[in-house]
Amino acid sequence: MKSTLDKSQAPNALTFSLLRLLTDGKFHSGELLARQLGISRASVSNALRGVESYGLNLYSVRGRGYCLNNPPQWLDAECIVAQMGERGKNFRIEVLDCADSSNTLLLQRAKPDIANGGAPGGTVLAVEWQSGGRGRLGRTWHSGLGNALTFSLLWRFGCGLSSLSGLSLAAGVALIRALRVLGIQSAQLKWPNDVLGNGGKFAGILIEAQGDVLGPSAVVIGIGLNLSLQQQVLRRIGQPVSSLADMLADASAVPERNHLLAVILPELEDVLQDFTVNGFAALRAEWQNYHGFQDQPVQLLLPDGSRVAGIVRGVADDGALELETMHEIRRFNVGEVSLRGAEHAAA
Ligand code: ATP
C-alpha cells in the first residue's frame, strides 16, 4: 500500500521537538533552537529540511531564523480528557507523534498475550502523523501534519463478528451528531463509511475487527477527518474532497482538534452502547436522515468490476444498501461494494 509520503521522509522525534518549539509562530534563531535541544545548528537545519512536504509553512530567513506560519494545534491527551468531564473516565487516550496506522497499532495492542488480556475497550490512539493511513480495500488515507484528526478507538463487544454488521454506518451517525454539536449542520453520509460536505469527502471511517463469529470481539474504529487541506495532501487524492474549513463560512470557526475529539468520543460511546443493545436497526432512521444519496441515482461498483445502476432507497436494519433497479429492490452488503453518484460513475 502507498503511504502518505515516503516513510524515509516521515518526521522524526527531533523534527517534532523543533516544530513544538516553533508553535508560537515567532522567529527562533537556529542557534537558540540548537541550544534548547542540546544539538548542533546543522542538526536543526537537517531536521527541519523538507517539513513543507507535510503541509507546513516554515519560513527560514537569514539573520532571523525559523518561523512556522499557521503552526499546528498539537493533540494533547490531558486536554482532551479534561474537556470530556466525567465521560473522560471511560477512555484511555494516548497521543503519538508518528505511527504507520493508528488502526494497525491498536489492533496489535488489542490482542491478548500471555502477560495481559490486551488493551481495554475505550483505548484511543490519536496520531499526529500517519505514514501508512489506510482506507477500505487497501486504499490509502492521506493527511498532512496538524490539520487533520486521525485516531482509532478500541471497543469490545460480547457478541461475535456476525452481529456487527452496520457498525461502520453507526459510527457515521456518531460523527454527524458530533459535528452538529459543533454547529456544522451540512455534513452527510455516504454508504458505507464516508462523510461528505461541500461537494467532497472530508472524513472516512475504517472498521477492523478481531474475534470469533460467536464472540467476544474487539473492534477498532479508525477515523480520519480533514480540518483543512493542504495542497500537498490534496493533490494525492483522486476524488472530490473537502474539509471543515471548506464547510464553514468563517475559517476561524474550525474547531480545535482536541475539542473536536473530545466531542466525537462521547458521541461514539453513546452510539456504540445503543448498537450493543439494539443493533444498527435503532440507528437506521437517523442514518437515512443524514444520507447524502437518499432516493438518488447511483452506480454500485462490484468486486468483479461490473456496475449496477439504480436509485438508492436507503439501508436495511443490518446496514445493507437497498438499491431499486429496473426490476427489483436489491440489497448489497458492505463487503467490497463501492457507491458512486451517477455523475461520478466513472471513478
Ligand atoms: P468507497 O465508496 O468504497 O468507500 P472510497 O474511494 O471513498 O470508496 P475509502 O476506502 O472509503 O474509499 O477511502 C479511501 C479513499 O479516500 C482514497 O482512495 C482516496 O480517494 C480518498 N482519500 C484519501 N485521503 C483522503 C482525505 N484526507 N480526505 C478525503 N478523501 C481521502
Side-chain angles (χ1 to χ4, degrees), residues 134-137 139-143 190-194 201-205 226 229 233 236-242 337-340:
R134 293 186 285 117
R136 294 195 320 135
L137 312 174
R139 296 178 192 128
T140 306
W141 185 262
H142 301 276
S143 44
K190 175 183 152 236
W191 185 90
N193 66 327
D194 294 343
K201 168 172 167 178
F202 70 91
I205 298 161
N226 308 325
L229 273 167
V233 176
R236 293 188 170 90
I237 306 171
Q239 64 171 295
V241 285
S242 66
V337 180
S338 288
L339 181 149
R340 296 291 177 263

PDB file of all heavy atoms in Angstrom, residues 134-137 139-143 190-194 201-205 226 229 233 236-242 337-340, ligand 1:
ATOM      1  N   ARG A 134      -4.791   4.120   6.223  1.00  0.00           N
ATOM      2  CA  ARG A 134      -5.494   3.198   5.314  1.00  0.00           C
ATOM      3  C   ARG A 134      -6.965   3.540   5.193  1.00  0.00           C
ATOM      4  O   ARG A 134      -7.584   4.026   6.136  1.00  0.00           O
ATOM      5  CB  ARG A 134      -5.371   1.766   5.842  1.00  0.00           C
ATOM      6  CG  ARG A 134      -3.960   1.255   5.796  1.00  0.00           C
ATOM      7  CD  ARG A 134      -3.853  -0.191   6.178  1.00  0.00           C
ATOM      8  NE  ARG A 134      -3.986  -0.407   7.614  1.00  0.00           N
ATOM      9  CZ  ARG A 134      -4.945  -1.090   8.188  1.00  0.00           C
ATOM     10  NH1 ARG A 134      -5.900  -1.634   7.458  1.00  0.00           N
ATOM     11  NH2 ARG A 134      -4.973  -1.249   9.489  1.00  0.00           N
ATOM     12  N   GLY A 135      -7.509   3.251   4.005  1.00  0.00           N
ATOM     13  CA  GLY A 135      -8.951   3.272   3.799  1.00  0.00           C
ATOM     14  C   GLY A 135      -9.409   1.836   3.622  1.00  0.00           C
ATOM     15  O   GLY A 135      -8.696   0.901   3.998  1.00  0.00           O
ATOM     16  N   ARG A 136     -10.583   1.634   3.029  1.00  0.00           N
ATOM     17  CA  ARG A 136     -11.062   0.272   2.777  1.00  0.00           C
ATOM     18  C   ARG A 136     -10.261  -0.346   1.645  1.00  0.00           C
ATOM     19  O   ARG A 136      -9.701   0.345   0.811  1.00  0.00           O
ATOM     20  CB  ARG A 136     -12.533   0.313   2.354  1.00  0.00           C
ATOM     21  CG  ARG A 136     -13.452   0.775   3.435  1.00  0.00           C
ATOM     22  CD  ARG A 136     -14.912   0.481   3.154  1.00  0.00           C
ATOM     23  NE  ARG A 136     -15.370   0.678   1.796  1.00  0.00           N
ATOM     24  CZ  ARG A 136     -16.145  -0.191   1.147  1.00  0.00           C
ATOM     25  NH1 ARG A 136     -16.542  -1.299   1.749  1.00  0.00           N
ATOM     26  NH2 ARG A 136     -16.558   0.051  -0.072  1.00  0.00           N
ATOM     27  N   LEU A 137     -10.276  -1.668   1.607  1.00  0.00           N
ATOM     28  CA  LEU A 137      -9.771  -2.434   0.469  1.00  0.00           C
ATOM     29  C   LEU A 137      -8.350  -2.032   0.088  1.00  0.00           C
ATOM     30  O   LEU A 137      -8.018  -1.923  -1.094  1.00  0.00           O
ATOM     31  CB  LEU A 137     -10.712  -2.241  -0.747  1.00  0.00           C
ATOM     32  CG  LEU A 137     -12.217  -2.409  -0.461  1.00  0.00           C
ATOM     33  CD1 LEU A 137     -13.052  -2.045  -1.672  1.00  0.00           C
ATOM     34  CD2 LEU A 137     -12.506  -3.843  -0.037  1.00  0.00           C
ATOM     35  N   ARG A 139      -6.894   0.799   0.286  1.00  0.00           N
ATOM     36  CA  ARG A 139      -6.680   2.152  -0.228  1.00  0.00           C
ATOM     37  C   ARG A 139      -5.937   2.994   0.801  1.00  0.00           C
ATOM     38  O   ARG A 139      -5.885   2.648   1.977  1.00  0.00           O
ATOM     39  CB  ARG A 139      -8.013   2.805  -0.561  1.00  0.00           C
ATOM     40  CG  ARG A 139      -8.750   2.093  -1.670  1.00  0.00           C
ATOM     41  CD  ARG A 139     -10.078   2.780  -1.912  1.00  0.00           C
ATOM     42  NE  ARG A 139     -10.919   1.969  -2.754  1.00  0.00           N
ATOM     43  CZ  ARG A 139     -12.173   1.644  -2.445  1.00  0.00           C
ATOM     44  NH1 ARG A 139     -12.719   2.063  -1.319  1.00  0.00           N
ATOM     45  NH2 ARG A 139     -12.882   0.908  -3.256  1.00  0.00           N
ATOM     46  N   THR A 140      -5.426   4.127   0.355  1.00  0.00           N
ATOM     47  CA  THR A 140      -4.608   4.964   1.240  1.00  0.00           C
ATOM     48  C   THR A 140      -5.419   6.133   1.793  1.00  0.00           C
ATOM     49  O   THR A 140      -6.204   6.740   1.064  1.00  0.00           O
ATOM     50  CB  THR A 140      -3.421   5.537   0.430  1.00  0.00           C
ATOM     51  OG1 THR A 140      -2.746   4.444  -0.179  1.00  0.00           O
ATOM     52  CG2 THR A 140      -2.445   6.285   1.320  1.00  0.00           C
ATOM     53  N   TRP A 141      -5.217   6.436   3.089  1.00  0.00           N
ATOM     54  CA  TRP A 141      -5.781   7.658   3.656  1.00  0.00           C
ATOM     55  C   TRP A 141      -4.648   8.657   3.801  1.00  0.00           C
ATOM     56  O   TRP A 141      -3.634   8.394   4.429  1.00  0.00           O
ATOM     57  CB  TRP A 141      -6.431   7.387   5.024  1.00  0.00           C
ATOM     58  CG  TRP A 141      -7.102   8.628   5.516  1.00  0.00           C
ATOM     59  CD1 TRP A 141      -6.616   9.542   6.400  1.00  0.00           C
ATOM     60  CD2 TRP A 141      -8.371   9.136   5.095  1.00  0.00           C
ATOM     61  NE1 TRP A 141      -7.500  10.578   6.547  1.00  0.00           N
ATOM     62  CE2 TRP A 141      -8.584  10.360   5.754  1.00  0.00           C
ATOM     63  CE3 TRP A 141      -9.341   8.685   4.202  1.00  0.00           C
ATOM     64  CZ2 TRP A 141      -9.740  11.133   5.564  1.00  0.00           C
ATOM     65  CZ3 TRP A 141     -10.493   9.450   4.009  1.00  0.00           C
ATOM     66  CH2 TRP A 141     -10.676  10.651   4.701  1.00  0.00           C
ATOM     67  N   HIS A 142      -4.808   9.809   3.173  1.00  0.00           N
ATOM     68  CA  HIS A 142      -3.742  10.814   3.170  1.00  0.00           C
ATOM     69  C   HIS A 142      -4.040  11.897   4.192  1.00  0.00           C
ATOM     70  O   HIS A 142      -5.183  12.354   4.288  1.00  0.00           O
ATOM     71  CB  HIS A 142      -3.663  11.490   1.798  1.00  0.00           C
ATOM     72  CG  HIS A 142      -3.398  10.534   0.671  1.00  0.00           C
ATOM     73  ND1 HIS A 142      -2.135  10.129   0.337  1.00  0.00           N
ATOM     74  CD2 HIS A 142      -4.229   9.913  -0.189  1.00  0.00           C
ATOM     75  CE1 HIS A 142      -2.192   9.303  -0.687  1.00  0.00           C
ATOM     76  NE2 HIS A 142      -3.460   9.147  -1.026  1.00  0.00           N
ATOM     77  N   SER A 143      -3.027  12.326   4.888  1.00  0.00           N
ATOM     78  CA  SER A 143      -3.229  13.517   5.722  1.00  0.00           C
ATOM     79  C   SER A 143      -1.895  14.206   5.961  1.00  0.00           C
ATOM     80  O   SER A 143      -0.839  13.577   5.918  1.00  0.00           O
ATOM     81  CB  SER A 143      -3.914  13.175   7.037  1.00  0.00           C
ATOM     82  OG  SER A 143      -3.368  12.040   7.620  1.00  0.00           O
ATOM     83  N   LYS A 190     -22.267   8.949   3.227  1.00  0.00           N
ATOM     84  CA  LYS A 190     -22.305   8.138   2.006  1.00  0.00           C
ATOM     85  C   LYS A 190     -22.024   6.697   2.419  1.00  0.00           C
ATOM     86  O   LYS A 190     -21.059   6.450   3.142  1.00  0.00           O
ATOM     87  CB  LYS A 190     -21.233   8.622   1.026  1.00  0.00           C
ATOM     88  CG  LYS A 190     -21.125   7.763  -0.209  1.00  0.00           C
ATOM     89  CD  LYS A 190     -20.003   8.242  -1.115  1.00  0.00           C
ATOM     90  CE  LYS A 190     -19.479   7.054  -1.897  1.00  0.00           C
ATOM     91  NZ  LYS A 190     -18.085   6.804  -1.774  1.00  0.00           N
ATOM     92  N   TRP A 191     -22.864   5.797   1.979  1.00  0.00           N
ATOM     93  CA  TRP A 191     -22.714   4.386   2.325  1.00  0.00           C
ATOM     94  C   TRP A 191     -21.423   3.837   1.755  1.00  0.00           C
ATOM     95  O   TRP A 191     -21.134   4.138   0.596  1.00  0.00           O
ATOM     96  CB  TRP A 191     -23.924   3.632   1.761  1.00  0.00           C
ATOM     97  CG  TRP A 191     -24.002   2.191   2.110  1.00  0.00           C
ATOM     98  CD1 TRP A 191     -24.615   1.641   3.194  1.00  0.00           C
ATOM     99  CD2 TRP A 191     -23.491   1.100   1.337  1.00  0.00           C
ATOM    100  NE1 TRP A 191     -24.500   0.288   3.148  1.00  0.00           N
ATOM    101  CE2 TRP A 191     -23.813  -0.081   2.023  1.00  0.00           C
ATOM    102  CE3 TRP A 191     -22.775   0.992   0.138  1.00  0.00           C
ATOM    103  CZ2 TRP A 191     -23.465  -1.342   1.550  1.00  0.00           C
ATOM    104  CZ3 TRP A 191     -22.415  -0.259  -0.339  1.00  0.00           C
ATOM    105  CH2 TRP A 191     -22.767  -1.402   0.373  1.00  0.00           C
ATOM    106  N   PRO A 192     -20.640   3.037   2.469  1.00  0.00           N
ATOM    107  CA  PRO A 192     -20.940   2.678   3.853  1.00  0.00           C
ATOM    108  C   PRO A 192     -20.157   3.489   4.901  1.00  0.00           C
ATOM    109  O   PRO A 192     -20.482   3.411   6.060  1.00  0.00           O
ATOM    110  CB  PRO A 192     -20.447   1.215   3.910  1.00  0.00           C
ATOM    111  CG  PRO A 192     -19.266   1.186   2.970  1.00  0.00           C
ATOM    112  CD  PRO A 192     -19.571   2.210   1.883  1.00  0.00           C
ATOM    113  N   ASN A 193     -19.125   4.257   4.493  1.00  0.00           N
ATOM    114  CA  ASN A 193     -18.182   4.714   5.525  1.00  0.00           C
ATOM    115  C   ASN A 193     -17.635   6.114   5.321  1.00  0.00           C
ATOM    116  O   ASN A 193     -16.596   6.445   5.881  1.00  0.00           O
ATOM    117  CB  ASN A 193     -16.988   3.735   5.590  1.00  0.00           C
ATOM    118  CG  ASN A 193     -16.171   3.766   4.312  1.00  0.00           C
ATOM    119  OD1 ASN A 193     -16.715   3.970   3.228  1.00  0.00           O
ATOM    120  ND2 ASN A 193     -14.879   3.608   4.430  1.00  0.00           N
ATOM    121  N   ASP A 194     -18.279   6.916   4.497  1.00  0.00           N
ATOM    122  CA  ASP A 194     -17.711   8.238   4.202  1.00  0.00           C
ATOM    123  C   ASP A 194     -18.607   9.350   4.731  1.00  0.00           C
ATOM    124  O   ASP A 194     -19.824   9.187   4.824  1.00  0.00           O
ATOM    125  CB  ASP A 194     -17.561   8.428   2.686  1.00  0.00           C
ATOM    126  CG  ASP A 194     -16.530   7.489   2.087  1.00  0.00           C
ATOM    127  OD1 ASP A 194     -15.721   6.933   2.857  1.00  0.00           O
ATOM    128  OD2 ASP A 194     -16.557   7.310   0.862  1.00  0.00           O
ATOM    129  N   LYS A 201     -15.555  14.572  -0.018  1.00  0.00           N
ATOM    130  CA  LYS A 201     -15.431  13.725   1.181  1.00  0.00           C
ATOM    131  C   LYS A 201     -14.464  14.403   2.152  1.00  0.00           C
ATOM    132  O   LYS A 201     -13.379  14.828   1.752  1.00  0.00           O
ATOM    133  CB  LYS A 201     -14.882  12.377   0.718  1.00  0.00           C
ATOM    134  CG  LYS A 201     -14.421  11.446   1.793  1.00  0.00           C
ATOM    135  CD  LYS A 201     -14.110  10.104   1.148  1.00  0.00           C
ATOM    136  CE  LYS A 201     -13.348   9.190   2.049  1.00  0.00           C
ATOM    137  NZ  LYS A 201     -13.098   7.877   1.446  1.00  0.00           N
ATOM    138  N   PHE A 202     -14.860  14.502   3.396  1.00  0.00           N
ATOM    139  CA  PHE A 202     -13.925  15.117   4.346  1.00  0.00           C
ATOM    140  C   PHE A 202     -13.610  14.204   5.529  1.00  0.00           C
ATOM    141  O   PHE A 202     -12.748  14.546   6.355  1.00  0.00           O
ATOM    142  CB  PHE A 202     -14.414  16.482   4.846  1.00  0.00           C
ATOM    143  CG  PHE A 202     -15.600  16.417   5.762  1.00  0.00           C
ATOM    144  CD1 PHE A 202     -15.410  16.334   7.134  1.00  0.00           C
ATOM    145  CD2 PHE A 202     -16.875  16.434   5.269  1.00  0.00           C
ATOM    146  CE1 PHE A 202     -16.487  16.265   7.996  1.00  0.00           C
ATOM    147  CE2 PHE A 202     -17.963  16.368   6.114  1.00  0.00           C
ATOM    148  CZ  PHE A 202     -17.778  16.280   7.478  1.00  0.00           C
ATOM    149  N   ALA A 203     -14.287  13.066   5.618  1.00  0.00           N
ATOM    150  CA  ALA A 203     -13.940  12.127   6.694  1.00  0.00           C
ATOM    151  C   ALA A 203     -14.233  10.716   6.216  1.00  0.00           C
ATOM    152  O   ALA A 203     -15.128  10.486   5.392  1.00  0.00           O
ATOM    153  CB  ALA A 203     -14.727  12.428   7.969  1.00  0.00           C
ATOM    154  N   GLY A 204     -13.458   9.775   6.726  1.00  0.00           N
ATOM    155  CA  GLY A 204     -13.665   8.372   6.396  1.00  0.00           C
ATOM    156  C   GLY A 204     -13.556   7.538   7.653  1.00  0.00           C
ATOM    157  O   GLY A 204     -12.898   7.938   8.626  1.00  0.00           O
ATOM    158  N   ILE A 205     -14.228   6.405   7.618  1.00  0.00           N
ATOM    159  CA  ILE A 205     -14.265   5.506   8.786  1.00  0.00           C
ATOM    160  C   ILE A 205     -13.753   4.145   8.319  1.00  0.00           C
ATOM    161  O   ILE A 205     -14.174   3.659   7.264  1.00  0.00           O
ATOM    162  CB  ILE A 205     -15.715   5.372   9.294  1.00  0.00           C
ATOM    163  CG1 ILE A 205     -16.246   6.738   9.744  1.00  0.00           C
ATOM    164  CG2 ILE A 205     -15.825   4.334  10.424  1.00  0.00           C
ATOM    165  CD1 ILE A 205     -17.753   6.814   9.830  1.00  0.00           C
ATOM    166  N   ASN A 226     -10.582  15.697   7.819  1.00  0.00           N
ATOM    167  CA  ASN A 226      -9.804  16.870   7.402  1.00  0.00           C
ATOM    168  C   ASN A 226     -10.346  18.127   8.066  1.00  0.00           C
ATOM    169  O   ASN A 226     -11.523  18.443   7.900  1.00  0.00           O
ATOM    170  CB  ASN A 226      -9.909  17.090   5.892  1.00  0.00           C
ATOM    171  CG  ASN A 226      -9.569  15.850   5.096  1.00  0.00           C
ATOM    172  OD1 ASN A 226      -8.702  15.075   5.483  1.00  0.00           O
ATOM    173  ND2 ASN A 226     -10.263  15.650   3.982  1.00  0.00           N
ATOM    174  N   LEU A 229      -7.274  21.471   4.275  1.00  0.00           N
ATOM    175  CA  LEU A 229      -6.499  20.618   3.353  1.00  0.00           C
ATOM    176  C   LEU A 229      -5.341  21.395   2.774  1.00  0.00           C
ATOM    177  O   LEU A 229      -5.513  22.512   2.267  1.00  0.00           O
ATOM    178  CB  LEU A 229      -7.406  20.153   2.217  1.00  0.00           C
ATOM    179  CG  LEU A 229      -8.199  18.887   2.506  1.00  0.00           C
ATOM    180  CD1 LEU A 229      -9.286  18.712   1.457  1.00  0.00           C
ATOM    181  CD2 LEU A 229      -7.311  17.655   2.543  1.00  0.00           C
ATOM    182  N   VAL A 233      -1.421  17.497   0.294  1.00  0.00           N
ATOM    183  CA  VAL A 233      -2.299  16.359   0.550  1.00  0.00           C
ATOM    184  C   VAL A 233      -3.335  16.253  -0.569  1.00  0.00           C
ATOM    185  O   VAL A 233      -3.579  15.182  -1.135  1.00  0.00           O
ATOM    186  CB  VAL A 233      -2.987  16.516   1.923  1.00  0.00           C
ATOM    187  CG1 VAL A 233      -3.985  15.399   2.163  1.00  0.00           C
ATOM    188  CG2 VAL A 233      -1.942  16.557   3.038  1.00  0.00           C
ATOM    189  N   ARG A 236      -2.822  14.414  -3.842  1.00  0.00           N
ATOM    190  CA  ARG A 236      -2.644  12.953  -3.824  1.00  0.00           C
ATOM    191  C   ARG A 236      -3.977  12.211  -3.884  1.00  0.00           C
ATOM    192  O   ARG A 236      -4.007  11.000  -3.965  1.00  0.00           O
ATOM    193  CB  ARG A 236      -1.934  12.523  -2.536  1.00  0.00           C
ATOM    194  CG  ARG A 236      -0.528  13.000  -2.450  1.00  0.00           C
ATOM    195  CD  ARG A 236       0.181  12.375  -1.256  1.00  0.00           C
ATOM    196  NE  ARG A 236       1.587  12.674  -1.327  1.00  0.00           N
ATOM    197  CZ  ARG A 236       2.157  13.745  -0.785  1.00  0.00           C
ATOM    198  NH1 ARG A 236       1.430  14.601  -0.104  1.00  0.00           N
ATOM    199  NH2 ARG A 236       3.436  13.961  -0.918  1.00  0.00           N
ATOM    200  N   ILE A 237      -5.080  12.930  -3.741  1.00  0.00           N
ATOM    201  CA  ILE A 237      -6.375  12.264  -3.587  1.00  0.00           C
ATOM    202  C   ILE A 237      -7.158  12.321  -4.894  1.00  0.00           C
ATOM    203  O   ILE A 237      -7.354  13.395  -5.452  1.00  0.00           O
ATOM    204  CB  ILE A 237      -7.174  12.916  -2.434  1.00  0.00           C
ATOM    205  CG1 ILE A 237      -6.334  12.916  -1.162  1.00  0.00           C
ATOM    206  CG2 ILE A 237      -8.491  12.181  -2.215  1.00  0.00           C
ATOM    207  CD1 ILE A 237      -6.922  13.715  -0.032  1.00  0.00           C
ATOM    208  N   GLY A 238      -7.589  11.168  -5.336  1.00  0.00           N
ATOM    209  CA  GLY A 238      -8.213  11.097  -6.649  1.00  0.00           C
ATOM    210  C   GLY A 238      -9.723  11.177  -6.636  1.00  0.00           C
ATOM    211  O   GLY A 238     -10.371  10.504  -7.436  1.00  0.00           O
ATOM    212  N   GLN A 239     -10.304  11.938  -5.728  1.00  0.00           N
ATOM    213  CA  GLN A 239     -11.754  12.114  -5.754  1.00  0.00           C
ATOM    214  C   GLN A 239     -12.069  13.469  -5.114  1.00  0.00           C
ATOM    215  O   GLN A 239     -11.215  14.046  -4.436  1.00  0.00           O
ATOM    216  CB  GLN A 239     -12.469  10.975  -5.021  1.00  0.00           C
ATOM    217  CG  GLN A 239     -12.184  10.871  -3.540  1.00  0.00           C
ATOM    218  CD  GLN A 239     -13.110   9.862  -2.863  1.00  0.00           C
ATOM    219  OE1 GLN A 239     -14.315  10.063  -2.798  1.00  0.00           O
ATOM    220  NE2 GLN A 239     -12.543   8.758  -2.378  1.00  0.00           N
ATOM    221  N   PRO A 240     -13.287  13.993  -5.322  1.00  0.00           N
ATOM    222  CA  PRO A 240     -13.602  15.299  -4.724  1.00  0.00           C
ATOM    223  C   PRO A 240     -13.476  15.232  -3.200  1.00  0.00           C
ATOM    224  O   PRO A 240     -14.020  14.322  -2.570  1.00  0.00           O
ATOM    225  CB  PRO A 240     -15.057  15.552  -5.139  1.00  0.00           C
ATOM    226  CG  PRO A 240     -15.279  14.666  -6.322  1.00  0.00           C
ATOM    227  CD  PRO A 240     -14.398  13.466  -6.123  1.00  0.00           C
ATOM    228  N   VAL A 241     -12.731  16.165  -2.639  1.00  0.00           N
ATOM    229  CA  VAL A 241     -12.502  16.167  -1.187  1.00  0.00           C
ATOM    230  C   VAL A 241     -12.825  17.530  -0.616  1.00  0.00           C
ATOM    231  O   VAL A 241     -12.894  18.527  -1.330  1.00  0.00           O
ATOM    232  CB  VAL A 241     -11.048  15.812  -0.809  1.00  0.00           C
ATOM    233  CG1 VAL A 241     -10.786  14.359  -0.964  1.00  0.00           C
ATOM    234  CG2 VAL A 241     -10.058  16.630  -1.586  1.00  0.00           C
ATOM    235  N   SER A 242     -13.020  17.571   0.678  1.00  0.00           N
ATOM    236  CA  SER A 242     -13.271  18.847   1.336  1.00  0.00           C
ATOM    237  C   SER A 242     -12.762  18.752   2.767  1.00  0.00           C
ATOM    238  O   SER A 242     -12.132  17.769   3.166  1.00  0.00           O
ATOM    239  CB  SER A 242     -14.759  19.190   1.285  1.00  0.00           C
ATOM    240  OG  SER A 242     -15.476  18.269   2.061  1.00  0.00           O
ATOM    241  N   VAL A 337     -18.263  -3.569  -2.098  1.00  0.00           N
ATOM    242  CA  VAL A 337     -19.079  -2.762  -2.998  1.00  0.00           C
ATOM    243  C   VAL A 337     -18.800  -1.283  -2.723  1.00  0.00           C
ATOM    244  O   VAL A 337     -18.702  -0.861  -1.581  1.00  0.00           O
ATOM    245  CB  VAL A 337     -20.579  -3.052  -2.757  1.00  0.00           C
ATOM    246  CG1 VAL A 337     -21.442  -2.215  -3.684  1.00  0.00           C
ATOM    247  CG2 VAL A 337     -20.857  -4.532  -2.922  1.00  0.00           C
ATOM    248  N   SER A 338     -18.668  -0.484  -3.788  1.00  0.00           N
ATOM    249  CA  SER A 338     -18.459   0.964  -3.639  1.00  0.00           C
ATOM    250  C   SER A 338     -19.581   1.705  -4.332  1.00  0.00           C
ATOM    251  O   SER A 338     -20.017   1.322  -5.424  1.00  0.00           O
ATOM    252  CB  SER A 338     -17.136   1.387  -4.279  1.00  0.00           C
ATOM    253  OG  SER A 338     -16.058   0.933  -3.505  1.00  0.00           O
ATOM    254  N   LEU A 339     -20.024   2.771  -3.708  1.00  0.00           N
ATOM    255  CA  LEU A 339     -21.122   3.552  -4.278  1.00  0.00           C
ATOM    256  C   LEU A 339     -20.574   4.829  -4.915  1.00  0.00           C
ATOM    257  O   LEU A 339     -19.707   5.482  -4.336  1.00  0.00           O
ATOM    258  CB  LEU A 339     -22.102   3.896  -3.151  1.00  0.00           C
ATOM    259  CG  LEU A 339     -23.362   4.685  -3.484  1.00  0.00           C
ATOM    260  CD1 LEU A 339     -24.498   4.282  -2.533  1.00  0.00           C
ATOM    261  CD2 LEU A 339     -23.140   6.187  -3.400  1.00  0.00           C
ATOM    262  N   ARG A 340     -21.097   5.156  -6.080  1.00  0.00           N
ATOM    263  CA  ARG A 340     -20.720   6.411  -6.735  1.00  0.00           C
ATOM    264  C   ARG A 340     -21.979   7.120  -7.211  1.00  0.00           C
ATOM    265  O   ARG A 340     -22.887   6.478  -7.733  1.00  0.00           O
ATOM    266  CB  ARG A 340     -19.829   6.141  -7.959  1.00  0.00           C
ATOM    267  CG  ARG A 340     -18.478   5.508  -7.622  1.00  0.00           C
ATOM    268  CD  ARG A 340     -17.568   6.495  -6.882  1.00  0.00           C
ATOM    269  NE  ARG A 340     -16.322   5.886  -6.492  1.00  0.00           N
ATOM    270  CZ  ARG A 340     -16.067   5.365  -5.278  1.00  0.00           C
ATOM    271  NH1 ARG A 340     -16.996   5.362  -4.352  1.00  0.00           N
ATOM    272  NH2 ARG A 340     -14.896   4.861  -4.988  1.00  0.00           N
TER     273      ARG A 340
HETATM  274  P1  ATP B   1     -15.868   3.580  -1.027  1.00  0.00           P
HETATM  275  O1  ATP B   1     -17.074   4.186  -1.650  1.00  0.00           O
HETATM  276  O2  ATP B   1     -15.607   2.192  -1.492  1.00  0.00           O
HETATM  277  O3  ATP B   1     -15.804   3.733   0.444  1.00  0.00           O
HETATM  278  P2  ATP B   1     -13.598   5.441  -1.259  1.00  0.00           P
HETATM  279  O4  ATP B   1     -12.843   5.786  -2.513  1.00  0.00           O
HETATM  280  O5  ATP B   1     -14.200   6.551  -0.504  1.00  0.00           O
HETATM  281  O6  ATP B   1     -14.677   4.397  -1.712  1.00  0.00           O
HETATM  282  P3  ATP B   1     -12.302   4.522   1.174  1.00  0.00           P
HETATM  283  O7  ATP B   1     -11.571   3.260   1.342  1.00  0.00           O
HETATM  284  O8  ATP B   1     -13.510   4.784   1.962  1.00  0.00           O
HETATM  285  O9  ATP B   1     -12.609   4.621  -0.370  1.00  0.00           O
HETATM  286  O10 ATP B   1     -11.287   5.715   1.425  1.00  0.00           O
HETATM  287  C1  ATP B   1     -10.035   5.770   0.792  1.00  0.00           C
HETATM  288  C2  ATP B   1     -10.110   6.791  -0.324  1.00  0.00           C
HETATM  289  O11 ATP B   1     -10.428   8.078   0.215  1.00  0.00           O
HETATM  290  C3  ATP B   1      -8.795   7.006  -1.055  1.00  0.00           C
HETATM  291  O12 ATP B   1      -8.648   6.084  -2.092  1.00  0.00           O
HETATM  292  C4  ATP B   1      -8.909   8.440  -1.555  1.00  0.00           C
HETATM  293  O13 ATP B   1      -9.620   8.506  -2.768  1.00  0.00           O
HETATM  294  C5  ATP B   1      -9.767   9.098  -0.506  1.00  0.00           C
HETATM  295  N1  ATP B   1      -8.967   9.862   0.475  1.00  0.00           N
HETATM  296  C6  ATP B   1      -7.720   9.602   0.948  1.00  0.00           C
HETATM  297  N2  ATP B   1      -7.346  10.518   1.848  1.00  0.00           N
HETATM  298  C7  ATP B   1      -8.384  11.392   1.960  1.00  0.00           C
HETATM  299  C8  ATP B   1      -8.615  12.553   2.715  1.00  0.00           C
HETATM  300  N3  ATP B   1      -7.721  13.051   3.568  1.00  0.00           N
HETATM  301  N4  ATP B   1      -9.801  13.185   2.562  1.00  0.00           N
HETATM  302  C9  ATP B   1     -10.739  12.711   1.715  1.00  0.00           C
HETATM  303  N5  ATP B   1     -10.578  11.619   0.961  1.00  0.00           N
HETATM  304  C10 ATP B   1      -9.414  10.955   1.087  1.00  0.00           C
END
